[in-house]
Amino acid sequence: MFKVLGILSVVLAGAASAQQAADAVEPEAGGVGAFDGLPAAFTAALAAKDAGKAVLASDWMIAAANPHAVKAGADVLAAGGTAADALVAVQVVLGLVEPQSSGLGGGAFLVWYDAASGEVITLDGRETAPLAATPRLFQDAAGEPLKFFDAVVGGRSVGTPGTPALLAEVHARWGNQPWASLLQAGIDLAEGGFAVSPRLAKLVARDAERLASSDVTAAYFMPDGVGVAAGDTLTNPAYAQTLRAFALDGADVFYGGSIGREIVATVQGVVDNPGVLSEVDMSIYRVKKRAAVCAPYRGHDVCGMGPPSSGAVAVGQILAALEGFDLSAGPQDLDVRRLMGDAARLAFADRGRYLADSDYVPVPVTGLLDPAYMAERAKLLDRETALEEVSAGEPAWDHALLWADDESIELPSTSHISIVDSAGNVASMTTTIENGFGSRLMVGGFLLNNELTDFSFRSHKDGVPIANRIEPGKRPRSSMAPTIVMKDGKPVMAVGSPGGSRIIGYVAQTIVAVLDWGMDVQKAVSVPHAVNRFGTYDLEEDTAAVELTEGLTAMGFEVGARGLTSGLHVIAIRDKLHGGADPRREGIAYGR
Ligand code: GLY
């Protein structure tokens, strides 16, 4: 084993400054919906959430970001479908009713517990960089990084979508219902119309200028030049047509078929910011099965998505650093927040330097989660004030390579789906088109991702390469952290959230809330957020978290209050299933 020695100190400042740039951009809006026309049981689930109560069920359960999507999945489970079948139905409806966050033009990571084998498996349906992409993709003629939204809006940021392939793969592996039947709820809603949710309306209003960059996108979200309003009935015949083609031809219609060709033509055809995605990129796309990355915490195994996501490693590192400390004083205790904040800073320092697509660059996953390494990192927390300086550590690994700190900016959007079926299979899937409304390009009634901006815009710093630089065919580093918590080989919780790089903090806090603070899942997702990503310690505005401002500042943290719109969807598996849905968004947990 080699150790990385002598990393240049000059590169340390970079990740923190990129993080500050991300901090400056407003997060995705929250908002809670009003949903007419749903059966009473679904509005009761919304009411339970409003009352702060977990939803209980005996047989199966779904927690996701929109009641229409939950209903589509629930109908599949009620008909005897598996969690895999339900996942397909939920995703295609989310792509219609919450189109800004995820869909067929994006990518996703699935963590799956297979009841028959007892295995935890992960499937990587992340977008890929086109073969023609170069490390200069997001740089100007002088080699300087483009402004974030100059890179996002248009064809340049679009990676090969992975979600259609992932859905087909999930169904082929674990589904038992006819494929076409799983797309029918999406077709019916797209043709019959659905009520625009308050959150979608708010986001359209806020993004009007960027949505106007594409005629097709503007015509859908802003018919006659006016943004759709909450409660408007919106139909999407183009999406219905896409789903009919997907039902008939499967994922081939994207990867070598007519929809794929339309995606490529749209991306390449943007006049002022074309992309380099090609039909070859579409036809060679593959879902990758990868080993789950599991980390111990309080007698449990916390299992999630390894590279190209940083999710499982960073969540695992935060929990490993906290393991030796007593957190029972709860979320309003200053020392608990000091520990959680600095554990996250340490994890983000490592993430910035080492995490990227491990098919392209060696990533020391084992070294980063090694108990001896984490014990050394945890020792740094044995103090009373904030760490004055935080930098990446030197985990053991078998490649002597030098990486500079990454500079990518991930903004919060995305969606999370948790499902448990009656056979005991568990699905935890986080799904995204990256920024809210992605690249702002629409094809076949769905939005195309801007996932390539999750790469570092710079490829090197001071001559030292950045692990998460753009390379042809590579998958951009993610923060998505779909997680299944195991105890004695059995799943006890599925959890995940949207939120860009804040996902890691949201998921870690929810696990601590359940395992350390003894909260039921609805209380756990409702705990005010305090998130540190190696920059400002973000405290959730208008909540009890801001009461920590003075104390944390006195400890040496830089502190700010802001909206922190997680979208946590959690199912705990106990004597019954307990579901929790984030009160900051429109989702519900529902089961039977
Ligand atoms: N684009 C959000 C993520 O992958 O973390």
Side-chain angles (χ1 to χ4, degrees), residues 279-371:
E279 288 181 29
V280 173
D281 294 310
M282 295 299 296
S283 63
I284 62 173
Y285 184 83
R286 295 289 176 273
V287 171
K288 296 187 179 182
K289 182 181 167 200
R290 299 182 186 275
V293 170
C294 298
Y297 189 61
R298 309 267 188 244
H300 295 73
D301 287 304
V302 178
C303 295
M305 194 71 222
S309 187
S310 59
V313 171
V315 169
Q317 282 199 312
I318 292 171
L319 297 176
L322 296 173
E323 176 96 57
F325 297 94
D326 179 2
L327 306 181
S328 60
Q332 288 304 106
D333 182 83
L334 271 175
D335 204 49
V336 168
R337 285 305 191 181
R338 174 186 67 79
L339 289 163
M340 292 175 76
D342 268 347
R345 287 169 78 203
L346 291 170
F348 270 82
D350 279 352
R351 170 186 176 275
R353 182 159 306 160
Y354 299 114
L355 268 293
D357 183 349
S358 53
D359 291 348
Y360 279 73
V361 294
V363 179
V365 173
T366 307
L368 289 166
L369 289 170
D370 178 63

Side-chain angles (χ1 to χ4, degrees), residues 57-83:
S58 310
D59 201 10
W60 50 258
M61 181 167 276
I62 301 180
N66 182 288
H68 289 292
V70 172
K71 181 181 179 309
D75 289 346
V76 170
L77 291 175
T82 66

